[in-house]
């Protein structure tokens, strides 16, 4: 595979400056008249494409090749704990069906636990060709190593092409173990998935922590693993089942007893913003915690749930469950009012499906303005007090 | 007890943009800092050290300048630090990064590895659990509290959306620490002086037991970034600017669209 070669004979002070300017990762070192690329390089290839002619050259190695036709099907890992089944699995079944449309590739549901019957029935109703249910009383939710044994074995045995796992805290802990066991690629928090005719999964996600999307592929490894956040895709309507259930009740995987559950407590649920119909989201333009009270009249008038961006969670102003974005919740409200948020890509990915978006921001060019239905350009410290006067005048706020 | 903490140097700002004309990435400055989630991992290690007299050694992988975050960790409470840096690691994805780190960690030796829950630049939360798998040790992610139950077992508490769990995990193991698990300390001037003479070693690929270069960096990475592009922007909305009374405009829109009744 590829690497970047520097033609030292073409390097001079001017080209070094140009390259240092172009490289977003500060990966060029120029020491003793020798230019080298350090480990900060992300292989974005900008130096090859946009740099001074002929200095940086991309050397393509022989790509490792695999027989892609030998790997078939998409499996969705269904997360179950005691009697609860995480609904992200149904959403991924719906996406998997879209990805295999017009092919003969099957969609599997993979369920592992002490009791799998209900999840298996539901998975069939959501439209899988086959449920593989590993059922044994010794399977423990927290024993990720044993779960990894079983999933890895399933992938090898079925020569699986793609494994999709919900981007829940559990899925984000399990998926990397499976990927490392199988020495294959894993892409976290994909926001879009496509499938090529050859069976390559094109995984799209925000990258480099900023307002950039990346198309990521796993060209020579199978299975291809991806995690996807809850509510990123829509669950299909349940229908008449057509698939079959394969129940494997012999103990699989190795019992290691290295992690043991001592006790557990179900947490009281806060009103989940993921299901809210009206949301007011607040961003870092709020300077002080007490200023949050400025939105209280609007919140009451709209009966809205309050949500926020990551900086306000970092300030400790809100419970983390109120954060919108890829590292928080994906929301689908009928009305979303953004106040003092400019819209990092990870936030925007979390609100794409809001039906109506209103934004208050001082910057008419902010990223959020471009996806909002109405953007009010103004400082929230001007907008909210006058808005509150109007709400009061019209009797919208109980005084 | 020997604790290894894994930290990372990340861009100080997440303001990255793509020039729509040229496709060139534009980064807002080249400032860097320690990944903020790593502060909780370090503090967890220092608290255990205070209770049980553990030795805390901190590692990072990155360019030579990443030694700065190791120096910072020494000023906060780490007893030693090692940098893993080699241009042959360039372009490493999660698997190749976790593999390189696991090779290093194995050679240093450990009872407990502590990572932050994720980084702010990659945001994947995957490197920790992959390291655990490469080292064949158990792991638990998103840990809030840790204590030594006995010299072979940690008792930990984790919290997710639905459950709060107390777990026992056998050493050696790896944990990733959730944000807000503790209050991280600041680097101290006293420690700056007392750790001044600690040398931060730099290891390269030649210091790892697997010296096959194709297992690292871009060549050891199953995933490849095919292209990068700016996110879709649908220009469907209206921008109301230069308003005399923007609060009134917002009120009117809310009424007009029947979100509010305007008597």
């Amino acid at each position: 595979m590829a690497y970047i070669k520097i033609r030292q004979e073409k390097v001079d002070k001017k080209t070094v400056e140009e390259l240092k300017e172009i490289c977003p990762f500060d990966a060029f070192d120029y020491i003793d008249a020798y230019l080298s690329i350090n480990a900060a390089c992300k292989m974005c290839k900008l130096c090859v494409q946009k740099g001074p002619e002929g200095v940086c050259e991309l050397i393509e190695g022989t790509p490792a090749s695999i027989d892609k036709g030998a790997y078939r099907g998409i499996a969705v890992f269904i997360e179950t704990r005691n009697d609860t089944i995480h609904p992200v699995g149904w959403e991924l079944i719906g996406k998997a069906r879209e990805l295999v449309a017009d092919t003969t590739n099957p969609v599997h549901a993979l369920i592992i636990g002490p009791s799998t019957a209900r999840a298996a029935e539901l998975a069939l109703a959501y439209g899988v060709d086959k449920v593989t249910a590993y059922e044994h009383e010794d399977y423990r939710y927290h024993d990720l190593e044993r779960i990894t044994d079983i999933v890895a074995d399933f992938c090898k045995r079925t020569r699986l092409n793609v494994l999709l796992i919900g981007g829940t805290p559990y899925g984000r802990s399990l998926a990397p173990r499976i990927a490392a066991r199988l020495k294959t690629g894993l892409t976290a928090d994909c926001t879009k998935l496509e499938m090529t005719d050859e069976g390559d999964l094109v995984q799209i996600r925000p990258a480099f922590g900023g307002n950039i999307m990346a198309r990521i592929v796993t060209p020579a490894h199978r299975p291809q693993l991806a995690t996807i956040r809850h509510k990123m895709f829509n669950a299909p309507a349940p229908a008449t089942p057509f698939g079959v259930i394969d129940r494997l009740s012999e103990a699989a995987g190795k019992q290691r007893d290295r992690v043991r559950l001592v006790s557990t407590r179900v947490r009281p649920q806060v009103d989940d913003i993921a299901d809210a119909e009206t949301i007011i989201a607040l961003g870092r333009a709020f300077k002080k915690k007490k200023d949050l009270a400025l939105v209280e009249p609007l919140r009451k008038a709209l009966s809205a749930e309050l949500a926020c961006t990551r900086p306000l969670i970092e300030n400790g102003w809100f419970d983390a469950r109120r954060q919108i974005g890829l590292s928080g919740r994906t929301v689908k409200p009928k009305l979303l009012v953004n106040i003092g948020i400019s819209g990092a890509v990870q936030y925007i990915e979390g609100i794409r499906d809001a039906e109506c978006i209103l934004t208050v921001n001082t910057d008419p060019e902010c990223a959020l303005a471009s996806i909002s239905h109405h953007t009010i350009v103004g400082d929230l410290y001007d907008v909210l007090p006058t808005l509150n006067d109007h709400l009061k005048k019209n009797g919208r706020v109980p005084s | 007890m020997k604790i290894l903490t894994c930290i990372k140097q990340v861009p100080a700002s997440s303001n990255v943009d793509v020039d729509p004309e040229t496709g060139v990435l534009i980064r807002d400055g080249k400032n860097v800092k320690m990944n903020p989630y790593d502060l909780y991992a370090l503090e967890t290690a220092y608290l255990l050290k205070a209770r049980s007299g553990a030795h805390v050694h901190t590692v990072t992988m990155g360019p030579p300048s990443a030694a700065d975050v190791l120096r910072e960790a020494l000023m906060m409470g780490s007893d030693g630090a090692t940098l893993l840096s080699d241009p042959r690691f360039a372009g490493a994805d999660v698997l190749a990064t976790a593999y390189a780190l696991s090779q290093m960690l194995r050679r240093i030796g450990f009872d407990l590895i502590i990572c932050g829950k994720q980084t702010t630049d990659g945001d994947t939360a995957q490197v920790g659990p992959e390291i655990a798998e490469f080292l064949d040790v158990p792991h638990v992610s998103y840990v809030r509290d840790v204590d030594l139950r006995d010299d072979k077992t940690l008792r930990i508490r984790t919290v997710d959306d639905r459950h709060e769990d107390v777990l026992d995990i056998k050493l050696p193991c790896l944990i990733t620490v959730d944000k807000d698990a503790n209050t991280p300390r600041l680097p101290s001037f006293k420690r700056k002086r007392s750790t001044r003479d600690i040398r931060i070693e730099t290891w390269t690929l030649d210091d790892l037991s697997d010296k096959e270069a194709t297992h690292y960096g871009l060549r050891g990475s199953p995933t490849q970034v095919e292209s990068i592009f700016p996110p879709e922007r649908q220009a469907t909305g209206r921008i109301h600017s230069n308003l005399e009374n923007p609060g009134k405009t917002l009120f009117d829109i809310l009424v007009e669209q029947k979100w509010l009744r305007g008597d």
Side-chain angles (χ1 to χ4, degrees):
Chain A
M1 283 176 215
Y3 68 97
I4 291 169
K5 184 174 176 180
I6 297 176
R7 301 228 169 268
Q8 298 292 339
E9 67 276 13
K10 295 192 179 173
V11 173
D12 56 36
K13 256 197 162 144
K14 190 171 152 285
T15 51
V16 170
E17 266 169 35
E18 272 182 66
L19 286 168
K20 286 198 166 198
E21 189 56 39
I22 284 172
C23 177
F25 304 107
D26 210 8
F28 284 101
D29 288 326
Y30 190 56
I31 298 163
D32 297 333
Y34 187 86
L35 183 66
S36 60
I37 296 176
N38 67 37
C41 173
K42 297 263 195 285
M43 287 300 288
C44 70
K45 301 173 207 141
L46 284 173
C47 52
V48 179
Q49 292 155 11
K50 311 286 177 188
E53 180 99 31
V55 178
C56 293
E57 193 185 343
L58 184 70
I59 307 291
E60 300 272 4
T62 29
S65 68
I66 51 164
D67 176 10
K68 291 179 183 172
Y71 296 86
R72 289 170 48 77
I74 301 179
V76 174
F77 180 85
I78 306 294
E79 180 183 328
T80 58
R81 179 172 181 174
N82 301 334
D83 296 328
T84 53
I85 306 168
H86 202 291
V88 65
W90 316 140
E91 298 160 11
L92 300 186
I93 289 174
K95 176 49 74 174
R97 280 251 75 88
E98 284 174 31
L99 293 172
V100 300
D102 308 322
T103 73
T104 56
N105 274 274
V107 174
H108 306 267
L110 182 56
I111 308 168
I112 303 168
S115 82
T116 59
R118 199 170 124 252
E121 291 301 329
L122 283 165
L124 283 186
Y126 283 106
V128 298
D129 298 287
K130 187 171 180 180
V131 173
T132 303
Y134 289 87
E135 184 171 308
H136 195 282
E137 56 182 8
D138 288 345
Y139 297 156
R140 300 270 179 272
Y141 176 83
H142 290 94
D143 189 354
L144 296 178
E145 296 174 274
R146 186 170 195 172
I147 307 281
T148 300
D149 291 343
I150 298 171
V151 177
D153 181 64
F154 170 83
C155 292
K156 285 185 200 155
R157 187 166 57 78
T158 57
R159 294 180 77 81
L160 186 70
N161 189 29
V162 173
L163 176 64
L164 303 180
I165 299 179
T168 61
Y170 185 75
R172 282 158 63 91
S173 185
L174 172 66
R177 272 211 98 103
I178 299 169
R181 178 76 60 87
L182 296 167
K183 299 200 169 43
T184 188
L186 166 62
T187 306
D189 298 337
C190 299
T191 56
K192 220 174 147 191
L193 294 172
E194 294 162 10
M195 184 78 99
T196 68
D197 293 343
E198 278 194 294
D200 285 323
L201 185 70
V202 179
Q203 303 151 112
I204 295 168
R205 80 178 296 257
F208 306 136
N211 301 333
I212 304 280
M213 305 299 288
R215 282 171 69 89
I216 297 168
V217 290
T218 313
H221 294 76
R222 294 292 183 267
Q224 308 164 83
L225 262 66
T227 62
I228 298 97
R229 292 271 181 170
H230 181 31
K231 297 230 169 185
M232 191 50 67
F233 303 132
N234 293 317
T240 312
F242 51 86
V244 295
I245 298 178
D246 185 12
R247 186 161 288 131
L248 303 168
S249 51
E250 210 162 297
K254 190 172 148 196
Q255 184 143 352
R256 294 175 183 78
D257 286 326
R258 301 206 278 196
V259 178
R260 193 174 65 82
L261 180 67
V262 178
S263 66
T264 188
R265 188 174 73 88
V266 175
R267 295 181 74 197
Q269 293 297 299
V270 295
D271 291 329
D272 197 337
I273 58 167
D275 298 320
E277 297 216 328
T278 311
I279 295 176
I280 303 174
L282 312 179
R284 68 170 154 203
F286 282 87
K287 294 181 193 128
K288 292 198 278 306
K289 187 176 181 186
K290 74 173 178 38
D291 299 343
L292 303 176
L294 285 170
V295 305
E296 205 43 26
L298 182 64
R299 188 194 66 75
K300 283 189 184 139
L302 294 171
S303 308
E305 288 291 333
L306 287 188
C308 68
T309 59
R310 181 142 89 185
L312 300 203
I313 298 289
E314 281 166 9
N315 290 349
W317 294 355
F318 284 96
D319 184 299
R321 287 175 281 188
R322 294 211 174 257
Q323 183 195 335
I324 298 179
L326 282 184
S327 51
R329 293 285 197 278
T330 304
V331 296
K332 297 182 173 178
K334 293 202 163 75
L335 172 66
L336 172 67
V337 185
N338 300 294
I339 303 176
I341 302 172
S342 46
V345 76
Q346 75 100 12
Y347 177 79
I348 287 182
E349 290 302 325
I351 62 164
R352 272 201 186 284
D353 289 329
E355 284 175 33
C356 176
I357 304 176
L358 306 185
T359 292
V360 177
N361 199 295
T362 49
D363 178 10
E365 310 263 295
C366 70
L368 201 46
S370 61
I371 63 154
S372 297
H373 299 87
H374 291 276
T375 301
I376 311 288
V377 180
D379 187 326
L380 70 94
Y381 288 97
D382 297 329
V383 179
L384 291 179
T386 44
L387 173 71
N388 292 346
D389 287 344
H390 283 277
L391 291 170
K392 208 180 252 171
K393 237 187 283 171
N394 287 271
R396 294 288 111 221
V397 189
S399 38
Chain B
M1 177 152 97
K2 192 163 176 184
I3 301 176
L4 299 185
T5 48
C6 303
I7 64 175
K8 188 182 180 191
Q9 191 176 53
V10 298
S13 158
S14 62
N15 290 332
V16 191
D17 228 326
V18 182
D19 183 328
E21 300 288 314
T22 61
V24 172
L25 272 179
I26 307 161
R27 234 178 206 200
D28 181 8
K30 288 181 172 167
N31 297 322
V32 288
K33 62 174 180 184
M34 190 190 297
N35 172 41
Y37 297 116
D38 295 342
L39 296 169
Y40 304 101
L42 289 173
E43 185 63 29
T44 302
Y46 304 149
L47 291 173
L48 280 171
K49 175 180 160 178
R51 271 180 245 148
S52 68
H55 179 91
V56 179
H57 192 91
T58 301
V59 304
T60 193
M61 172 169 145
S65 60
D68 292 350
V69 293
L70 294 177
R71 189 53 68 185
E72 205 180 323
L74 290 174
M75 287 183 230
M76 290 167 69
S78 296
D79 302 304
T82 311
L83 169 68
L84 184 59
S85 185
D86 194 315
R88 288 172 286 184
F89 299 146
D93 72 354
V94 169
L95 193 86
T97 302
Y99 184 66
L101 282 167
S102 69
Q103 287 277 312
M104 178 195 210
L105 299 168
R106 177 177 283 145
R107 192 179 146 198
I108 297 174
F110 62 90
D111 298 296
L112 170 62
I113 299 170
I114 308 181
C115 303
K117 74 163 185 160
Q118 63 193 57
T119 62
T120 52
D121 61 344
D123 257 340
T124 71
Q126 291 172 174
V127 170
E130 292 212 2
I131 289 172
E133 177 60 32
F134 280 127
L135 294 171
D136 189 23
V137 297
H139 85 276
V140 175
S141 296
Y142 309 109
V143 168
R144 289 288 175 94
D145 287 322
V146 191
D147 218 340
L148 267 177
R149 191 161 160 258
D150 53 52
D151 57 356
K152 290 191 188 82
T153 319
L154 286 185
R155 174 150 295 182
I156 58 185
R157 187 172 65 90
T158 66
V159 179
D160 69 14
D161 288 356
R162 296 159 192 233
H163 296 92
E164 185 175 332
D165 295 332
V166 176
L167 299 159
D168 279 348
I169 180 168
K170 289 224 169 86
L171 296 169
C173 66
L174 181 148
I175 58 173
T176 78
V177 177
D178 212 343
K179 182 183 145 26
D180 291 339
N182 48 45
T183 309
R185 68 194 63 189
L186 296 167
S188 87
F189 181 68
K190 208 173 130 204
R191 282 200 59 90
K192 183 176 179 176
R193 273 194 314 194
S194 67
T195 59
R196 199 169 36 198
D197 295 331
I198 297 179
R199 209 170 70 82
I200 296 175
E201 262 191 68
T202 300
W203 288 18
T204 68
L205 200 154
D206 301 324
D207 295 297
L208 305 180
S209 66
D210 177 0
K211 294 181 173 45
E212 176 51 54
T214 57
H215 293 167
Y216 301 92
L218 187 76
R219 286 178 292 179
S221 298
T223 62
Q224 288 180 15
V225 177
E226 214 177 45
S227 62
I228 49 176
F229 59 93
E232 286 168 40
R233 304 256 155 102
Q234 309 129 319
T236 51
R238 266 192 68 190
I239 310 266
H240 307 265
S241 53
N242 300 319
L243 299 171
E244 210 151 278
N245 189 342
K248 169 86 163 63
T249 309
L250 178 57
F251 180 78
D252 290 343
I253 292 170
L254 288 168
V255 171
E256 189 187 295
Q257 301 204 345
K258 302 193 171 64
W259 302 111
L260 285 177
R261 264 183 306 128
D263 305 324

